[in-house]
């Protein structure tokens, strides 16, 4: 049942990408996304495709997992493509009443589709090769400069990692509660929306009670170990850039440079 | 009213990186009116197995029959099946949700489509049967002690009047007195209502004196399925599975090894006492229980 849903969608294999520092992967992903908006011609997308395919290859994650993320944006993708096809003015290829398809519209739709798909697949590579905790650590480090303007970076990161840590636990608990209630004849699947909403009470009450109890226990355990926020706190596994991170940065920057050149030259 | 499993296997998350084999080629018959202990170490597949009994999980291989009908065969209502095969999970916190104990126990019968009066009658009978005193009926289930919550949870399933009752670790987290009380009440249920009971546990000690048959699961396979005495005679193998026979089995084997001709097949301390006394009085050994 719910066991199959993984929110932190980390895929556990050992690859070069898995071993990279989370900060490298995060910045690398951002730069890749930037490149998608710099490229605006089909040869340019060819370069992006080449880059993306080699990353998928390096990550050693099955390709089907990469495209799972696309299901979530399928509707958005469809709407974007439709709007672009039908509403872009230009050379008319096909017309029926007020509805017309233009050459420019097709090009524009193709461009948007490629950008959206590559964006999702690109960020999937990051989340598939980085555990949620590494990602949080990486973000905490990257956001550190914001401390100067009094953003509680450590606290935000701590909340994020606790939340992430508890998602699988709460999922599993939801599953168990559902089963316990189904065993008592509860029905979560049929009926109209009101009946269904009412049917959720036997699920939500135990779930909330359990979540609050866990939160209480965790707060107690943290206080018992003298947790008092980020001040002067060190990390058990501090992030350190290694040689491969430098290599990765070089590759990504070179790739970005190519996209800038393409843009400037108008290729 | 029997459950039969034929060549059943179960895989978690098949086809993903997290694929895990929980059960493999299980063949098992649970006949009417039996009191069965299902024993296994953590991760042996006990919890998965009991969820196959009432159709909460669908086997990835093999078939599950209830009264000769394949429960995944198409025209079987699994909702009806679940009111015939009652399953009480380990943690009562996962099922208690109503404002008071009585309403919570009514939840099952109400879902069966019974009217208010009948549901109330069943709830009252079930609560009495598991020994929840009437003054607790109006209390919030969250204010109860661990043992009381467990009773209410059992009553919640019992009120549906199942033919087979499966209890997952009903004694976990209880003190010795609470544990014995619950087990005695479960035995009373078996005797007075005549229902089949499957008691899941990881402790032989707890259930030895109550059950008629023990099924031992080890890493997804059935290792033993026999009369308790015969299962305990394999105490060396049980140890290798991370289980143990009751302590009294060890005492009796030690005595036997030292030349005292006691009966090594006794199940309880009381039986052992009688047997040792009998041997000491020179009446001889053997199955003098």
């Amino acid at each position: 049942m719910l066991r199959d849903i993984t929110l932190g969608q980390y895929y556990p294999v050992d690859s070069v990408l898995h071993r990279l520092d989370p900060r490298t992967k995060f910045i690398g992903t951002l730069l890749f996304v930037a490149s998608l908006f710099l490229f605006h011609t089909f040869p340019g997308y060819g370069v992006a495709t080449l880059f993306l395919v080699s990353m998928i290859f390096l990550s050693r994650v099955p390709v089907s997992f990469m495209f799972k993320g696309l299901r979530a944006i399928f509707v958005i993708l469809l709407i974007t493509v439709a709007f672009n096809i039908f509403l872009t003015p230009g050379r008319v290829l096909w017309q029926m009443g007020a509805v017309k398809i233009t050459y420019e519209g097709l090009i524009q739709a193709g461009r948007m589709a490629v950008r959206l798909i590559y964006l999702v697949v690109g960020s999937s590579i990051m989340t598939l090769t980085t555990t949620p905790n590494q990602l949080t650590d990486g973000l905490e480090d990257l956001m550190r400069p914001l401390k100067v303007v009094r953003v509680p970076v450590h606290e935000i990161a701590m909340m994020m990692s606790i939340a992430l840590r508890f998602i699988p636990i709460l999922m599993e608990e939801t599953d168990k509660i559902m089963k316990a209630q189904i065993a008592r004849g509860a029905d979560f699947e049929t009926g109209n929306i009101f009946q269904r909403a009412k049917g959720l009470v036997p699920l939500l009450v135990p779930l909330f009670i359990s979540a609050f109890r866990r939160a209480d226990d965790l707060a107690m355990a943290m206080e018992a170990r003298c947790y008092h926020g980020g001040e002067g706190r060190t990390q058990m596994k501090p992030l350190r850039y290694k040689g491969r991170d430098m290599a990765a940065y070089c590759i990504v920057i070179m790739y970005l440079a190519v996209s800038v050149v393409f843009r400037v030259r108008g290729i | 009213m029997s459950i039969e499993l034929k060549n059943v296997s179960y895989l978690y998350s098949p086809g993903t990186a997290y694929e895990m084999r929980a059960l493999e080629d299980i063949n098992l018959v649970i006949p009417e009116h039996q009191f069965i202990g299902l024993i296994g170490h953590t991760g042996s597949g006990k919890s998965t197995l009991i969820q196959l009994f009432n159709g909460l999980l669908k086997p990835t291989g093999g078939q599950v029959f209830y009264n000769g009908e394949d429960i995944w065969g198409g025209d079987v209502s699994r909702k009806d099946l679940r009111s015939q095969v009652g399953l009480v999970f380990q943690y009562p916190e996962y099922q208690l949700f109503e404002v008071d104990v009585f309403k919570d126990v009514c939840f099952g019968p109400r879902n069966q489509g019974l009217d208010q009066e009948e549901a109330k009658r069943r709830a009252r009978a079930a609560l009495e049967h598991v020994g929840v005193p009437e003054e607790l009926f109006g209390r919030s289930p969250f204010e109860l002690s661990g043992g009381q919550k467990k009773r209410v949870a059992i009553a919640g399933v019992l009120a549906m009047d199942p033919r087979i009752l499966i209890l997952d670790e009903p004694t976990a987290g209880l003190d010795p007195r609470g544990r014995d009380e619950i087990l005695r009440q479960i035995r009373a249920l078996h005797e007075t209502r005549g229902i089949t009971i499957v008691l899941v546990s990881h402790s032989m000690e707890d259930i030895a004196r109550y059950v008629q048959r023990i099924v031992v699961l080890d890493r997804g396979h059935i290792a033993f399925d026999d009369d308790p005495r015969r299962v305990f005679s394999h105490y060396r193998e049980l140890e290798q599975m991370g289980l143990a026979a009751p302590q009294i089995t060890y005492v009796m084997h030690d005595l036997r090894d030292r030349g005292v001709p006691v009966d090594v097949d006794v199940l309880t301390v009381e039986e052992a006492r009688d047997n040792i006394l009998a041997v000491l009085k020179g009446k001889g050994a053997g199955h003098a229980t």
Side-chain angles (χ1 to χ4, degrees), chain B residues 2 4 53 59 64 83 87 101 107 142 165 176 195 198 210 217 220 224 274:
Chain B
S2 66
E4 188 177 356
F53 290 161
V64 182
S83 63
L87 175 56
V101 166
F107 180 68
F142 307 109
L165 185 64
I195 54 181
V198 179
Y210 298 101
L217 269 185
F224 301 108
D274 295 346

Side-chain angles (χ1 to χ4, degrees), chain A residues 10-25:
Chain A
Y10 182 66
Y11 189 89
V13 284
D14 188 36
S15 79
V16 185
L17 288 190
H18 283 73
R19 272 174 273 145
L20 281 181
D21 189 289
R23 292 170 294 182
T24 316
K25 282 185 268 193

Side-chain angles (χ1 to χ4, degrees), chain B residues 101-121:
Chain B
V101 166
F102 193 71
K103 275 195 187 141
D104 201 275
V105 177
C106 285
F107 180 68
R110 294 288 289 157
N111 285 331
Q112 285 175 299
L114 298 174
D115 62 61
Q116 199 85 34
E117 284 315 304
E118 177 65 8
K120 279 184 179 168
R121 201 188 57 73

Side-chain angles (χ1 to χ4, degrees), chain A residues 23-222:
Chain A
R23 292 170 294 182
T24 316
K25 282 185 268 193
F26 190 77
I27 293 173
T29 309
L30 280 183
L31 294 183
F32 175 70
V33 171
S35 83
L36 288 179
F37 290 92
L38 286 171
F39 285 127
H40 60 296
T41 58
F42 286 95
Y45 293 134
V47 179
T49 310
L50 199 69
F51 184 78
L52 197 62
V53 168
S54 17
M55 286 308 132
I56 293 175
F57 184 72
L58 280 179
S59 74
R60 296 179 52 200
V61 178
V63 181
S64 59
F65 279 82
M66 300 285 171
F67 293 97
K68 268 188 181 166
L70 286 180
R71 270 185 303 193
I73 63 144
F74 184 73
V75 177
I76 301 175
L77 192 63
L78 218 61
I79 294 173
T80 314
V81 169
F83 268 84
N84 277 302
I85 287 181
F86 295 116
L87 299 177
T88 314
R91 212 144 38 86
V92 177
L93 294 178
W94 177 86
Q95 188 158 22
M96 200 170 118
V99 184
K100 61 178 196 293
I101 293 174
T102 61
Y103 174 77
E104 284 76 8
L106 281 181
I107 297 285
Q108 186 66 15
R111 195 178 282 159
M112 290 313 289
V114 168
R115 278 179 184 169
L116 266 174
I117 293 171
Y118 282 20
L119 196 147
V120 170
V121 174
S123 31
S124 290
I125 295 180
M126 174 177 75
T127 50
L128 283 164
T129 59
T130 319
T131 62
N133 275 327
Q134 282 179 325
L135 212 55
T136 318
D137 282 355
L139 280 179
E140 180 180 358
D141 200 74
L142 289 172
M143 291 196 304
R144 191 155 287 163
L146 293 179
K147 266 189 185 162
V148 183
V149 287
R150 298 241 176 158
V151 176
V153 174
H154 168 79
E155 280 70 17
I156 292 173
M158 179 59 94
M159 283 193 280
M160 259 173 74
S161 44
I162 289 174
L164 287 170
R165 176 69 188 77
F166 275 86
I167 285 171
I169 292 179
L170 290 178
M171 289 293 238
E172 202 178 312
E173 240 161 34
T174 310
D175 190 39
K176 283 184 176 162
I177 295 168
M178 271 177 98
K179 281 179 172 168
Q181 304 297 26
I182 291 173
R184 296 210 286 164
D187 190 349
F188 297 110
E189 273 143 22
T190 55
N192 63 36
I193 190 155
F194 295 106
Q195 285 165 328
R196 277 203 213 191
K198 209 176 154 227
L200 283 179
V201 173
L203 170 65
L204 292 179
V205 171
L207 187 63
F208 272 92
I209 287 176
S210 150
F212 283 125
R213 202 194 62 234
R214 280 181 190 281
D216 252 3
D217 289 352
L218 182 67
M220 184 78 86
M222 286 168 81

